[in-house]
Amino acid sequence: MALPVFYDKLYKRIFLASKDAIGIISSEGFYLEQNAAHRKLIGYTDNELHQKTPAIHFGKRAFNKIVKELQKNNQYRGIHEIRAKDGTKIPIDLSAFAVKDERGKILCYVGIKRDISNQKKTEEALQKSRDELEVILQGIADGITVQNETGKLVYANNAAGIAAGFPTGEDMVKTPPDKIMEKFELMDESGNPFPLERLPGRKAMLGETNPEALIRYRNKQTNEEKWVIIKARAMFDDFGKPLMSINILHDVTERKKVEKRKDEFISIASHELKTPITSIKAYVQILQKQLEKQGNSESSRFLLKIDRQIEKLTDLIADLLDVSKIQAGKLTFQKTRFSLDGLLKEVVEDMQRISESHKIVIKSLKACTVAGDKERIEQVLINLLTNAMKYSPKSNEVHVNVAKVDSMVKVSVTDFGIGIGKEDLRRVFERFFRISGSNGETFPGLGVGLYICAEIIKRHQGRIWVESARTKGSTFHFTLPRIHSV
Amino acid sequence: MKKSVLVVDDDPAILDVIKIILEEKGYDVHLLADGDKIAQTIVAFSPSVILLDFWLSGLNGKQVIKILRTNPTTKHIPIIMISANHDPKSIAEEVEANDFLAKPFDIDDLVRIVEKYTTSSSSGSQATQ
């Protein structure tokens, strides 16, 4: 069926107006016609193309390849670099096909050349910046890993790979995640198992901002132990769906080794300090008893005061040693069952006896039994009560509440003192952290009491926290699992 | 016959002060600055109770206890661990000492614990107080 003349004209105009360069080639391979875009692209006039094959800009080898493919499949698609008349090389995406009549005889070939030099430049630039980025990522001393939304590892630089016991980062990516994890035993600072759901990468994907964790890990084969701080950030799409998490792994093994030496030093130092204190204390007590017998009550009283100061010194040394034990993961507990309310009453009575400044008021007290190290829990109570008095110099009361909350017992110690600013609320449980008053006054202490308390409570499967605001006093709470009475 | 106490500690001041306290209470006190000669000393002295520092130069407390516990003439003697270590209770349990006293101690506690092991019938000594 022949088309009306009108359509012939229309098709011709479409061909001529196309912004993609189109050349029409005879069944023998010679140029028949080109459109304006083709002319502009390769720079040959219609006359110059007369009796020429596309080999003039494709080169013979490429042209033969195209011809072969066209003869075989009647179509061809490929990326080529062609040479324009002025010699410039142009990357193109060639799409060519054969046009046949009703009986299958080839009428001509059509070649559409799409200039891809811009695309290629962009790709090259992209590749270059990717290469540069890779060089940078590989050059970073810290390990970097990227996980996709399913938790699969999609990138690891060499530092990360090596830290995980692989020759390169790529080898690590190729290994299934559970195979990587089973090589190691993960622990927290105190040597307790580190649950995988607490890994910063997982927390970040769940929307936690800037999660980080200090993790101790042991290679089960080599027994080598390392420490790493992992910080994670998640990337989200426009709909808030997590795409990936980026983890930075900073090795702190050396730092931890130094800390360990320091902790060992503290351990030895405290032992050495206690030795002379032992004889001083004993001599003081002997002397005090002698003076008492002789009726010299004033001197005897002075020696009692010395004895009390020695007691304080001993407590300070014990605190220091506790800290080094916690750091070394060697704080041990002697667990028994005991009445928490009974212990609290004893502690409050004892402390009331030596405190002249504050009245300790038990506001509510529920009878409850807990399982734990009685001396350690006593230490927590003494610490919280001592702090409450220490940090409320202008007040004269401290309140204590004991309540049952579900399966736990909650102890709360409230003071009406200087309080804690918002920025310090979380830090008060950190090692060596000390708080100062609103006008900069400082309070005596090593800054380890609450750190020790937090560790003790944590190790008893409890929770410790504080509610406070500057100048508004503080309430410290802790919970412990209750033993249910039948 | 006087009750006797053997004190083993590498700190001379502690030895001295314990001697003062326990002699005042009527004990016969024998002092030893390191654990190496403990076996000979015990044969010569035959104490009712031993106060033993855990961190001794030379033999450590654990080795000393082992020596005493394997010797039939000394294995019945009660041993009280005195230690400036962090957790003397668990150390005492570990080395199977009869009891422990943490340094620094109150002299009343020292006297009480020594009395506890010298007045009990199992120690075999004669009570004089």
Side-chain angles (χ1 to χ4, degrees), chain A residues 134 138 145 152-177 179-180 183:
Chain A
E134 180 63 13
Q138 293 297 5
T145 62
K152 190 185 177 314
L153 192 64
V154 289
Y155 178 82
N157 70 351
N158 286 339
I162 289 163
F166 294 94
T168 65
E170 238 174 280
D171 296 306
M172 183 180 179
V173 174
K174 283 184 206 148
T175 311
K179 281 270 176 329
I180 300 174
K183 283 175 73 173

Side-chain angles (χ1 to χ4, degrees), chain A residues 141-336:
Chain A
D142 282 345
I144 296 171
T145 62
V146 180
Q147 283 166 293
N148 69 11
E149 77 282 5
T150 65
K152 190 185 177 314
L153 192 64
V154 289
Y155 178 82
N157 70 351
N158 286 339
I162 289 163
F166 294 94
T168 65
E170 238 174 280
D171 296 306
M172 183 180 179
V173 174
K174 283 184 206 148
T175 311
D178 47 328
K179 281 270 176 329
I180 300 174
M181 295 316 287
E182 73 190 23
K183 283 175 73 173
F184 301 102
E185 182 192 351
L186 301 191
M187 289 163 281
D188 68 10
E189 216 175 335
S190 316
N192 305 317
F194 191 94
L196 295 181
E197 60 270 17
R198 269 176 54 207
L199 283 172
R202 302 208 183 180
K203 284 183 168 178
M205 295 290 258
L206 293 172
E208 190 175 320
T209 38
N210 308 346
E212 63 173 88
L214 173 64
I215 298 172
R216 193 167 136 192
Y217 65 98
R218 187 178 64 86
N219 185 323
K220 288 177 189 166
Q221 284 165 355
T222 62
N223 243 346
E224 190 186 18
E225 216 176 89
K226 284 190 169 183
W227 293 77
V228 66
I229 292 176
I230 301 181
K231 293 185 184 184
R233 303 284 182 274
M235 308 284 276
F236 298 91
D237 68 9
D238 293 341
F239 301 97
K241 206 182 124 221
L243 291 174
M244 59 172 133
S245 73
I246 302 162
N247 303 285
I248 297 187
L249 299 88
H250 182 58
D251 187 287
V252 289
T253 309
E254 274 311 304
R255 204 175 82 195
K256 280 287 162 187
K257 276 185 189 162
V258 173
E259 273 181 29
K260 195 177 167 214
R261 274 202 293 278
K262 184 198 67 195
D263 289 329
E264 280 166 3
F265 166 76
I266 290 174
S267 183
I268 294 166
S270 73
H271 183 273
E272 291 306 301
L273 285 169
K274 276 185 193 172
T275 302
I277 288 176
T278 302
S279 46
I280 293 170
K281 190 180 173 73
Y283 285 124
V284 164
Q285 289 184 355
I286 292 167
L287 207 53
Q288 192 257 331
K289 279 183 198 292
Q290 282 178 358
L291 288 169
E292 215 175 55
K293 262 189 207 158
Q294 291 163 15
N296 191 341
S297 62
E298 197 187 24
S299 300
S300 161
R301 202 160 47 81
F302 290 161
L303 285 167
L304 257 176
K305 285 195 173 178
I306 294 177
D307 195 37
R308 204 151 288 161
Q309 293 305 312
I310 294 171
E311 202 72 39
K312 273 192 186 173
L313 196 54
T314 315
D315 289 345
L316 283 174
I317 295 168
D319 277 357
L320 269 182
L321 201 57
D322 278 349
V323 171
S324 77
K325 287 277 166 188
I326 292 171
Q327 292 291 304
K330 285 178 186 160
L331 197 65
T332 50
F333 299 101
Q334 311 266 343
K335 292 203 174 178
T336 56

Side-chain angles (χ1 to χ4, degrees), chain A residues 39-66:
Chain A
R39 202 175 295 126
K40 197 179 161 204
L41 180 70
I42 61 170
Y44 288 95
T45 64
D46 294 359
N47 277 340
E48 284 166 336
L49 285 186
H50 186 66
Q51 290 295 320
K52 295 284 190 315
T53 72
I56 55 166
H57 42 256
F58 278 108
K60 261 190 189 149
R61 266 177 59 188
F63 180 63
N64 288 340
K65 186 184 154 206
I66 296 165

